[in-house]
Structure formats: structure tokens, C-alpha cells
Amino acid sequence: MDICAANQLVIGGTLFQHRDNKGTWWSPNGLTVNQIDHICISGRFQHSLFNVKVCRGADIGSDHYLVRGRLQIKLQSVAKITAKRHDVPAIEHLRNSSKVQEYNVALQNRFDCLVNEVNLEDMWDNFKQTVTDVSMEVLGKRPRKVKEQHLSQTSKNLIEQK
């Protein structure tokens, strides 16, 4: 009981109304029946536990009976995190030789204007920012993929008619 209270657990065997077959242990003399075995589940999933029963017919080689619980977990999709989407340059344009030449000239002009940094981290940040800026200026943004619709327009029209 203390463990369940400390860890916010719910005892599953006491949640359900059954006949007098709740005993999970029989004494060797056959006179005493106790409910000493339980299923503990997190309080968060308490509504997922549908039933707890004692299986008397299961031969498990013990003086305890098997305790069986039935769970049904409902999965929900995780909401998409509304994070800032990074623009990606359209590198497909580099297959065109004129774009490659334009990209190389623009990149060379930007690197000529850069001031030599002493710190390695600053050099890397300047290099990365320069390549990103030139890529976006010369190549442009990659267009987002448009998802295909599951239903065609004719199917939608038929649904509206009904």
C-alpha cells in the first residue's frame, strides 16, 4: 500500500466487482482464502484497465492463483510541434551549369570581402552563414511538397450530392 501511494499506483484487483472468486492464495489446509496478489497500474492508465480476474485453472506450480488483467490502450497521435521551419536552398538548380557558375562567382565575391578571424568558432560561423546566404540568394528556396489528396474531386462531388 505504501509503495502504491508513493509511486501513484492504483491496485487493479479491487476496482472490479466479481463473485467471491477474488482469492489469489489458498492455505495448504484448504480453509483459508486470501487476496494477497494484485495488479498495480499507474493512475494515468487507470481507465485502460478493463478487468482483473483470478484464473483458478492455470497450473503454475504454486499455491497462488494466476491474476490476469485486461488492458486496452488508446494511442493518440502526438501533436506536431510548431517549430520554426528552416528554409532549404533548392540545390537541384546546381545541375544547370550556368547556375553553378553564378553560384561560384557569388561565393567567391563574398569570401573575398570576409575579414580573417582569429577564433576558429567565429571562422566557422562566418563560413556557414556565408554559404547559407549565397545559396538562398542564387538558388532560391526549395518549394514545399504538396500532399496528394486522398479523394479525387469527382469523389468529393458525389459525397456532396448525397
Side-chain angles (χ1 to χ4, degrees), residues 24 37 54-68:
T24 60
D37 298 317
V54 177
C55 299
R56 292 185 173 197
D59 183 21
I60 57 174
S62 174
D63 56 349
H64 293 262
Y65 290 121
L66 183 68
V67 179
R68 178 183 67 183

Side-chain angles (χ1 to χ4, degrees), residues 1 13 39 54 108 114 117:
M1 292 287 230
I39 291 181
V54 177
Q108 185 63 39
L114 283 180
E117 296 284 338

Side-chain angles (χ1 to χ4, degrees), residues 74-137:
K74 297 177 183 178
L75 301 177
Q76 292 181 344
S77 63
V78 177
K80 291 184 180 180
I81 299 171
T82 56
K84 180 183 175 189
R85 292 186 178 181
H86 299 287
D87 293 331
V88 178
I91 58 173
E92 301 85 30
H93 295 301
L94 289 176
R95 292 185 181 143
N96 185 353
S97 61
S98 63
K99 278 289 189 183
V100 171
Q101 186 67 24
E102 182 183 349
Y103 180 74
N104 287 337
V105 168
L107 202 57
Q108 185 63 39
N109 290 339
R110 284 285 184 92
F111 281 133
D112 289 341
C113 297
L114 283 180
V115 177
N116 289 335
E117 296 284 338
V118 177
N119 187 358
L120 188 62
E121 289 294 324
D122 292 339
M123 287 175 64
W124 170 248
D125 289 339
N126 284 339
F127 175 79
K128 184 170 69 171
Q129 189 63 38
T130 302
V131 170
T132 303
D133 291 344
V134 170
S135 299
M136 292 304 291
E137 289 173 12

